[in-house]
Amino acid sequence: MANKDTNKLLVERETYEKDGNTYFSHVVKGKVRGKEVKATVIPHDVGGYAVLDIVFGEALAAELVLKPYEIKDEKTKRTVKGNTYAVRSVDEATGEIYECPVKPFRNSDKTILAMLIG
């Protein structure tokens, strides 16, 4: 959900059960045209879930960080632009920053994130 004070998007942890175990999913919530929406994000690899546990610590939400990129194809001279994403938290006691790269789970999640960032 967007933090109203700073307009930052937050990644929230939601629990779900599978095969008798409890897991976390990581979602970004918001409103688009008055409709409640959410986009699921995942780490780039399976080991990233351990990194997300470190980033979140005991918290249930952390900041979604956008990292814009631009790549120019030398042959075609076309420039491709987009965003990569990360989940970030800051340790209040030490000021240390913890971050994990994430990506949208499905194409529809990518579309919803683009609408929320819009």
Side-chain angles (χ1 to χ4, degrees), residues 1-117:
M1 180 68 87
N3 182 331
K4 294 187 188 332
D5 296 329
T6 60
N7 250 359
K8 293 179 183 176
L9 288 175
L10 298 178
V11 177
E12 299 178 28
R13 285 180 135 182
E14 293 183 342
T15 58
Y16 67 94
E17 300 281 329
K18 182 178 179 185
D19 300 327
N21 294 315
T22 302
Y23 299 98
F24 286 113
S25 63
H26 302 84
V27 298
V28 179
K29 298 178 182 177
K31 272 190 176 184
V32 176
R33 295 185 131 186
K35 181 177 175 71
E36 296 285 336
V37 296
K38 73 179 177 180
T40 301
V41 294
I42 59 172
H44 286 265
D45 58 45
V46 174
Y49 286 101
V51 178
L52 279 175
D53 285 342
I54 293 167
V55 171
F56 276 90
E58 297 299 316
L60 293 177
E63 180 182 0
L64 178 70
V65 180
L66 276 81
K67 298 185 172 198
Y69 68 85
E70 201 172 291
I71 300 171
K72 186 171 185 176
D73 185 327
E74 293 302 320
K75 286 184 179 179
T76 64
K77 304 297 182 200
R78 284 189 46 207
T79 300
V80 177
K81 297 179 184 181
N83 291 308
T84 61
Y85 306 96
V87 176
R88 178 186 293 165
S89 67
V90 179
D91 186 297
E92 291 183 16
T94 65
E96 190 166 353
I97 296 171
Y98 298 96
E99 191 171 286
C100 179
V102 293
K103 61 185 178 182
F105 182 54
R106 298 174 290 265
N107 279 336
S108 57
D109 295 316
K110 182 178 181 178
T111 302
I112 290 171
L113 277 176
M115 289 177 185
L116 290 170
I117 293 162

